[in-house]
Amino acid sequence: EIWLYPVVLAFYPQLASILLKNRIRTLPAAKSIAAQQGYLGAKYPWESAVTGYEVCNEDIYGLKEIHINSDISFAFQQYFNLTQVRTKLNIGKGIRVSY
């Protein structure tokens, strides 16, 4: 999200919206991962299966990479800043990704 999302958002805002909807869809898996690793809230995987669960076979990445969550929250903020569209992406379901 931190490197590619801004470009996708600038040139393909509809695709950017789909990417955020995918993060909303995989939130239950992210919450499950967080609970398994002793965290509160959600922890998105380094490499995600379509189910939202980690598929990276290297523990150094799969277990240790926690900055992904801030990248995802920042993507939601960027979407709103560019589109000024208040939808379920940033109000309601989308806000749950950030908190």
Side-chain angles (χ1 to χ4, degrees):
E1 272 84 3
I2 202 70
W3 298 111
L4 295 177
Y5 187 80
V7 175
V8 173
L9 178 59
F11 292 102
Y12 306 100
Q14 289 180 317
L15 178 57
S17 172
I18 292 169
L19 294 173
L20 294 181
K21 288 176 184 175
N22 183 60
R23 291 304 190 175
I24 293 169
R25 183 185 62 77
T26 57
L27 181 58
K31 287 182 175 184
S32 175
I33 293 168
Q36 291 171 6
Q37 294 181 13
Y39 295 108
L40 297 175
K43 181 180 178 287
Y44 282 91
W46 177 251
E47 293 179 12
S48 177
V50 74
T51 61
Y53 286 94
E54 183 67 67
V55 294
C56 182
N57 61 359
E58 298 288 331
D59 283 348
I60 188 89
Y61 302 112
L63 295 176
K64 306 292 183 199
E65 296 293 339
I66 59 173
H67 70 279
I68 306 303
N69 288 16
S70 59
D71 296 345
I72 293 167
S73 293
F74 187 56
F76 276 89
Q77 180 182 353
Q78 289 176 317
Y79 179 83
F80 174 70
N81 288 342
L82 183 71
T83 65
Q84 295 295 301
V85 174
R86 291 188 178 269
T87 66
K88 65 181 178 181
L89 289 178
N90 49 21
I91 296 180
K93 290 182 180 181
I95 202 77
R96 291 185 215 146
V97 172
S98 297
Y99 293 101

